[in-house]
Amino acid sequence: LDISATTVVENTREILPQILDLSLGTSKATVQVAGRAFYGFDVRNLKAAQIRVSGDTVVEIDVPQPQVLSVEPNLSDMRVWTERGWARSQTSTQRAERRAIALINGALMRQARVHVQQSVQPQVNTARALQKLLAPALQAVGMQDPVFRFRIGERIVMER
């Protein structure tokens, strides 16, 4: 799953807050990076109750909800923008930049989890993977041309 994420870190300083409230400005760093998320499910958690055989050739499977396993930012395409407040040091801008970069994996992970949970496509991809995994085993035990019927959530049935 290809994704991208943006993080923004702002650091504002004031002299004598709530008394003088003189702003020294804001250091700001924005980091944008594309990445790839890897998702799937642990086949050891696939239960017999999720697989049913009808007749001689139909195999019905309740597709498990995939989970995000990892994310990998493409650091070579990372973009960084920084702004330094009028009375701020280069160090404050560098700190904001480092913090924004440190937050990028978490932002990619959150985005990937939302996509995998809310989109149907990851479960469709999981169904295709299950078919590739199970077809040779079923053919080996004599089921010539197994027909797979995948139940994806409450409302979608995919037959292959």
Side-chain angles (χ1 to χ4, degrees):
L1 172 63
D2 291 328
I3 55 177
S4 67
T6 302
T7 59
V8 179
V9 172
E10 292 183 355
N11 182 329
T12 301
R13 293 288 170 139
E14 295 179 346
I15 292 178
L16 300 172
Q18 299 178 346
I19 298 171
L20 188 57
D21 284 333
L22 177 63
S23 175
L24 296 176
T26 299
S27 293
K28 178 179 177 181
T30 303
V31 175
Q32 183 179 52
V33 67
R36 181 157 287 174
F38 301 92
Y39 61 87
F41 71 96
D42 188 341
V43 294
R44 295 173 294 188
N45 294 333
L46 191 62
K47 306 296 181 214
Q50 293 173 275
I51 303 171
R52 295 166 297 286
V53 177
S54 301
D56 293 338
T57 61
V58 178
V59 179
E60 194 170 303
I61 301 172
D62 298 331
V63 177
Q65 178 66 44
Q67 303 296 315
V68 177
L69 304 173
S70 67
V71 293
E72 182 178 304
N74 184 353
L75 299 178
S76 65
D77 288 338
M78 180 170 59
R79 295 182 178 175
V80 179
W81 297 271
T82 57
E83 298 173 24
R84 184 170 38 167
W86 72 274
R88 300 303 308 272
S89 68
Q90 181 66 27
T91 303
S92 71
T93 305
Q94 290 170 342
R95 275 195 307 261
E97 184 178 313
R98 283 193 302 270
R99 181 69 181 136
I101 291 169
L103 294 172
I104 209 71
N105 266 3
L108 286 170
M109 183 63 85
R110 282 188 300 280
Q111 185 171 341
R113 284 180 178 149
V114 167
H115 177 79
V116 168
Q117 293 297 318
Q118 294 180 355
S119 176
V120 173
Q121 192 61 49
Q123 284 188 291
V124 169
N125 295 343
T126 299
R128 289 179 179 150
L130 278 169
Q131 180 179 2
K132 287 181 181 181
L133 177 73
L134 295 175
L138 293 171
Q139 290 168 346
V141 296
M143 192 179 281
Q144 293 298 337
D145 292 313
V147 174
F148 290 90
R149 186 175 300 143
F150 296 103
R151 296 200 176 279
I152 300 172
E154 298 285 322
R155 301 179 292 155
I156 299 173
V157 175
M158 181 175 88
E159 195 162 304
R160 296 184 57 95

